[in-house]
Amino acid sequence: MHKIVDVGVNLLHANDHQAAHNRKHFDAAGVRCFNLMSSPGAGKTALLEAVLGTLAQRYRLAIIEGDMTTQLDADRLRRFGVPVIPITTGRACHLDAAMVHGGVAILERDVAPLGTFDLLLVENVGNLVCPAEFAVGEHAKIALLSVTEGEDKPLKYPIMFREADCLVVTKTDLLPYLPCDRQLLHHNLRQINPTAPIFWVSVQEQTGIAEWLGWMDAQLRAPLPTVTC
Amino acid sequence: MHKIVDVGVNLLHANDHQAAHNRKHFDAAGVRCFNLMSSPGAGKTALLEAVLGTLAQRYRLAIIEGDMTTQLDADRLRRFGVPVIPITTGRACHLDAAMVHGGVAILERDVAPLGTFDLLLVENVGNLVCPAEFAVGEHAKIALLSVTEGEDKPLKYPIMFREADCLVVTKTDLLPYLPCDRQLLHHNLRQINPTAPIFWVSVQEQTGIAEWLGWMDAQLRAPLPTVTC
């Protein structure tokens, strides 16, 4: 007799359990957690570089930096004097809740207790598919999409854009050089996600960044649930 | 007593077995199979659109088109009068050998026997991580990288670029507008893959395409192994 086991569903269930544990830990410590996700090269690290100086003046923050290999992104972000915990996933295509739990443990061991921080930014592995399905305990999922990727991507990779609480369209300075229709991209994002705020950002031209920082401020002002562990 | 099972290794082993079966099937039918992979929006479909007219004059070809959802890419390619078999993977982040096997079965049922074709192009799901590990029986893996993704991507996603038999750098027309160093990108590709040919292509400016077609011609001229099934 064979028992059929849906490995995918079981893995996701175990991850959701760990993510709920992480979330309770974040709430109890009074720290807000955002999970940044996108294709490789959509500009997650560049966006963080553009805001870290300002964020570090306003909040006590730390970063968990996911990459398959190398600490290139972690090195870029450390220049801002912010604690960065790199997680190299090896062959894995996304951060999962257990990896982030491990990263938080390293943060607490090497830097300071979690309750010391206001904000924990998680930069996920560049992948428009898998990270969308693996919650890490975050309060908000932030999905980036570069205009260079084309207007059809929200329709072709709907899970990522449906799950997002905040949408950031990047590299808008390249629109004049691309066969990319901004109206159509907006329309396609709204087909998949009717409500999440959409920010149009160019790090090169420094546009849209203040608006996105405003969204983060509003999130950080909202009260966290009271947790008794 | 619990038996520890490495699900990942077992899945890859099963996939390799199916891929070897596919490959034998391709060799016996005298059809060459190329697997195109890249991040979302690096320009796999655009590159195929740029060459399908020429390829269709030279070869009898068919396309297996992988997407999580929608037939948008399949519709774009069908305009060239070439048979396109769409495979929507649902939540799966890559094509595997079984999916391609299923696609070939549909091709044979609905269009013509495999032996009728010279060339089978597989356009994978846009993902720089997972497709690299799932062989589909292809004779060559073709990895695309857009200059908009940044010079560091070969180092950060090494499996894809190490496994590739052919490297295509796309959207070179955007280089003047990007903080992307072409020499450094070349250097990083060569660090990960010292031997695969590298083609620098702009579909917008129609540069590098003839050179890439020349590589495909050379592959198609080389004899396939003789297989007795």
Side-chain angles (χ1 to χ4, degrees):
Chain A
M1 278 278 289
H2 292 281
K3 191 177 165 200
I4 305 297
V5 178
D6 189 327
V7 174
V9 169
N10 281 356
L11 278 175
L12 283 175
H13 182 75
N15 185 72
D16 284 345
H17 186 75
Q18 177 68 56
H21 171 82
N22 291 0
R23 174 66 173 270
K24 206 168 164 183
H25 198 35
F26 297 149
D27 287 343
V31 63
R32 194 81 47 162
C33 177
F34 296 148
N35 182 7
L36 276 83
M37 298 176 281
S38 77
S39 295
K44 295 180 293 303
T45 312
L47 185 63
L48 290 180
E49 287 177 312
V51 297
L52 277 190
T54 306
L55 281 179
Q57 287 173 1
R58 297 181 190 171
Y59 307 107
R60 296 159 301 171
L61 69 98
I63 298 171
I64 290 181
E65 179 60 49
D67 265 313
M68 291 181 74
T69 178
T70 83
Q71 295 205 14
L72 293 170
D73 288 353
D75 291 342
R76 283 170 63 182
L77 298 178
R78 279 199 189 100
R79 293 185 294 113
F80 294 86
V82 168
V84 180
I85 308 298
I87 299 181
T88 48
T89 63
R91 302 183 93 83
C93 55
H94 59 274
L95 291 178
D96 64 23
M99 293 177 196
V100 168
H101 190 258
V104 169
I106 294 168
L107 180 72
E108 296 209 281
R109 184 194 69 194
D110 294 352
V111 185
L114 192 59
T116 316
F117 298 97
D118 305 308
L119 176 58
L120 179 67
L121 294 168
V122 175
E123 184 180 343
N124 221 304
V125 177
N127 184 334
L128 209 47
V129 186
C130 316
E133 301 217 67
F134 286 82
V136 300
E138 68 279 78
H139 296 92
K141 294 179 196 288
I142 301 171
L144 280 69
L145 175 67
S146 160
V147 294
T148 62
E149 295 174 61
E151 313 94 344
D152 55 350
K153 295 305 169 291
L155 307 180
K156 290 178 59 187
Y157 302 86
I159 301 173
M160 176 65 76
F161 297 101
R162 190 177 297 132
E163 294 282 323
D165 303 289
C166 173
L167 299 161
V168 183
V169 182
T170 60
K171 308 195 190 185
T172 57
D173 53 287
L174 293 174
L175 277 169
Y177 314 110
L178 296 172
C180 174
D181 181 334
R182 183 182 164 137
Q183 304 297 330
L184 181 56
L185 177 49
H186 180 90
H187 174 80
N188 289 344
L189 282 169
R190 280 286 170 251
Q191 262 198 271
I192 301 298
N193 190 325
T195 55
I198 304 176
F199 298 98
W200 295 77
V201 168
S202 164
V203 167
Q204 291 292 313
E205 296 181 343
Q206 292 282 304
T207 51
I209 292 170
E211 289 79 0
W212 185 58
L213 278 168
W215 176 84
M216 287 219 276
D217 284 334
Q219 301 296 308
L220 279 143
R221 276 195 302 270
L224 282 168
T226 312
V227 178
T228 30
C229 283
Chain B
M1 280 277 289
H2 291 282
K3 192 176 164 201
I4 305 296
V5 178
D6 188 327
V7 175
V9 169
N10 280 357
L11 278 176
L12 283 175
H13 182 76
N15 186 72
D16 284 345
H17 185 77
Q18 177 68 55
H21 170 82
N22 290 1
R23 174 66 171 270
K24 205 167 164 183
H25 198 36
F26 297 151
D27 288 343
V31 62
R32 192 82 45 163
C33 178
F34 298 147
N35 183 6
L36 277 83
M37 297 176 282
S38 77
S39 296
K44 295 179 294 303
T45 313
L47 185 64
L48 290 179
E49 286 177 313
V51 297
L52 277 189
T54 306
L55 281 179
Q57 286 174 3
R58 296 181 190 171
Y59 308 107
R60 295 160 301 172
L61 69 98
I63 298 171
I64 289 179
E65 179 60 49
D67 265 312
M68 291 181 72
T69 178
T70 82
Q71 295 205 14
L72 294 170
D73 287 354
D75 291 342
R76 282 169 64 182
L77 299 177
R78 278 199 189 102
R79 292 185 294 115
F80 294 86
V82 168
V84 180
I85 308 298
I87 299 180
T88 47
T89 63
R91 302 182 93 83
C93 55
H94 59 274
L95 291 177
D96 65 23
M99 293 177 198
V100 169
H101 189 260
V104 168
I106 293 169
L107 180 72
E108 296 209 281
R109 184 195 67 193
D110 294 352
V111 186
L114 194 59
T116 316
F117 298 96
D118 305 307
L119 176 58
L120 180 67
L121 295 168
V122 175
E123 183 181 345
N124 221 305
V125 177
N127 183 335
L128 210 47
V129 186
C130 317
E133 301 216 67
F134 286 81
V136 300
E138 69 278 80
H139 296 91
K141 292 178 197 287
I142 301 171
L144 279 70
L145 175 67
S146 160
V147 294
T148 61
E149 295 174 61
E151 314 95 343
D152 55 351
K153 295 305 168 293
L155 308 180
K156 290 178 59 187
Y157 301 86
I159 301 173
M160 176 64 77
F161 297 101
R162 188 178 298 131
E163 295 281 324
D165 302 290
C166 174
L167 299 161
V168 183
V169 182
T170 60
K171 308 194 190 185
T172 58
D173 54 287
L174 293 175
L175 277 170
Y177 314 110
L178 296 172
C180 174
D181 181 336
R182 184 183 164 137
Q183 304 296 329
L184 180 57
L185 176 51
H186 180 90
H187 174 80
N188 288 344
L189 282 169
R190 279 288 171 250
Q191 262 197 271
I192 300 297
N193 190 325
T195 54
I198 303 176
F199 298 97
W200 296 76
V201 167
S202 164
V203 167
Q204 290 293 313
E205 296 180 341
Q206 293 281 306
T207 51
I209 291 170
E211 290 78 358
W212 185 59
L213 278 168
W215 175 84
M216 288 220 274
D217 284 334
Q219 301 295 308
L220 279 144
R221 277 195 303 270
L224 282 168
T226 312
V227 178
T228 30
C229 284

